[in-house]
Amino acid sequence: PAEEEPAEEEPAKEEEEPAAEPEEESNEPESLGFGFINFVEHESAAKAVEEMNEKEFETTEDGEATTKALFVGRAQKKAERERELRQKYESEKMERIAKFQGVNLYVKNLEDSVTDDVLRDEFSAMGTITSARVMKDLKSGVSRGFGFVCYSSPEDATRAVNEMNGKLIAGKPIFVALAQRRDVRRAQLEAQHNQGRGNAPGQPGMMRGPMGGPMGGPMGGYPGGPGMYMPGRPGPGGSNLPTPWALK
């Protein structure tokens, strides 16, 4: 009898991995990082602010554990909150001004190569310096030609103004003065300008005569000078009488 050929074995089918189910998207809105709590009694709300403000708690951000501090305060309208922030900013600003009053110096006409360290070294002989900084352009980093030096006492600052003003640093004479707020400096410049105009000849509001003296005064403005007469209309009998322009 003919030998039967063995049946070919069918290759085993690879088991198909089940398709991953798509993650369900959360419909919950993302937290904005703040919220509100309403108490029935004012005393309870005040106690919560006192005990919970600045309280630290642990949380997770981007898979890393971190510690944060809570801010708890009375809920305010936007206008009220902005007003309080402006007042706080102005108060802190005035405190900084009072702190540096009489000890902070303005230095200008600095050579471009002058650095913070060079500025400190040049002024250190006058007293104890708390800070020295050359102002630079934010984009290019190049010196703007001026800076500030702050001393620990007004006496040291005054000595520096008297002895360092006009000194050569890197081949250029520097200008040194007490630093002032911009509005104060502008008011002083305007006062000086107005004072100079008041002393100048030909000030507004006064008519001047032909010789420079005030109209109606002596000729030329000199005491005891003769009055000024101008030719006038004919008098009685056809005589040409002078008409007084200004009599002393």
Side-chain angles (χ1 to χ4, degrees):
E3 295 182 0
E4 296 181 358
E5 295 182 0
E8 294 182 359
E9 296 181 359
E10 296 182 0
K13 294 183 179 179
E14 296 181 358
E15 296 183 359
E16 296 181 357
E17 296 181 358
E21 296 181 359
E23 296 181 0
E24 295 183 359
E25 295 183 359
S26 175
N27 294 327
E28 295 184 2
E30 187 177 353
S31 172
L32 296 177
F34 66 90
F36 299 91
I37 299 176
N38 189 26
F39 286 89
V40 176
E41 299 175 349
H42 170 73
E43 292 76 11
S44 300
K47 185 178 180 180
V49 171
E50 182 180 353
E51 297 185 2
M52 298 298 294
N53 188 37
E54 303 255 339
K55 183 176 181 180
E56 294 184 348
F57 67 98
E58 293 185 356
T59 184
T60 303
E61 287 187 355
D62 299 329
E64 296 183 2
T66 182
T67 302
K68 285 190 172 185
L70 282 174
F71 169 79
V72 182
R74 181 176 63 87
Q76 297 172 295
K77 294 182 179 180
K78 184 177 180 181
E80 181 184 2
R81 185 170 65 253
E82 289 179 347
R83 182 171 61 253
E84 285 192 2
L85 289 175
R86 282 195 299 269
Q87 292 175 351
K88 182 179 178 182
Y89 170 78
E90 290 297 330
S91 176
E92 293 176 349
K93 180 180 177 181
M94 296 306 296
E95 288 179 3
R96 289 196 302 270
I97 292 173
K99 179 181 178 181
F100 296 112
Q101 186 69 32
V103 296
N104 195 28
L105 302 183
Y106 170 67
V107 185
K108 72 175 183 178
N109 201 35
L110 294 174
E111 211 276 333
D112 291 347
S113 62
V114 175
T115 62
D116 295 350
D117 293 336
V118 172
L119 192 64
R120 178 183 288 270
D121 292 342
E122 292 288 344
F123 280 80
S124 59
M126 301 297 107
T128 304
I129 295 176
T130 58
S131 65
R133 185 179 180 187
V134 176
M135 306 307 293
K136 299 179 179 179
D137 185 84
L138 295 177
K139 295 182 178 180
S140 63
V142 177
S143 170
R144 298 175 62 186
F146 70 92
F148 297 92
V149 178
C150 189
Y151 285 91
S152 60
S153 69
E155 293 77 16
D156 293 342
T158 302
R159 186 183 307 114
V161 171
N162 294 333
E163 298 188 19
M164 296 296 293
N165 186 37
K167 181 180 178 180
L168 291 176
I169 296 182
K172 293 180 67 174
I174 62 172
F175 170 83
V176 184
L178 285 173
Q180 294 177 307
R181 290 168 50 189
R182 184 176 300 176
D183 54 346
V184 174
R185 186 168 65 252
R186 184 184 296 112
Q188 288 184 352
L189 292 175
E190 289 179 354
Q192 294 174 1
H193 178 69
N194 293 334
Q195 185 178 5
R197 290 181 59 186
N199 296 332
Q203 54 185 330
M206 179 178 291
M207 296 180 65
R208 315 301 295 185
M211 302 298 293
M215 190 70 73
M219 182 178 293
Y222 294 99
M228 182 181 292
Y229 290 87
M230 299 295 290
R233 61 186 180 278
S239 63
N240 191 19
L241 297 177
T243 301
W245 178 267
L247 294 177
K248 183 178 176 183

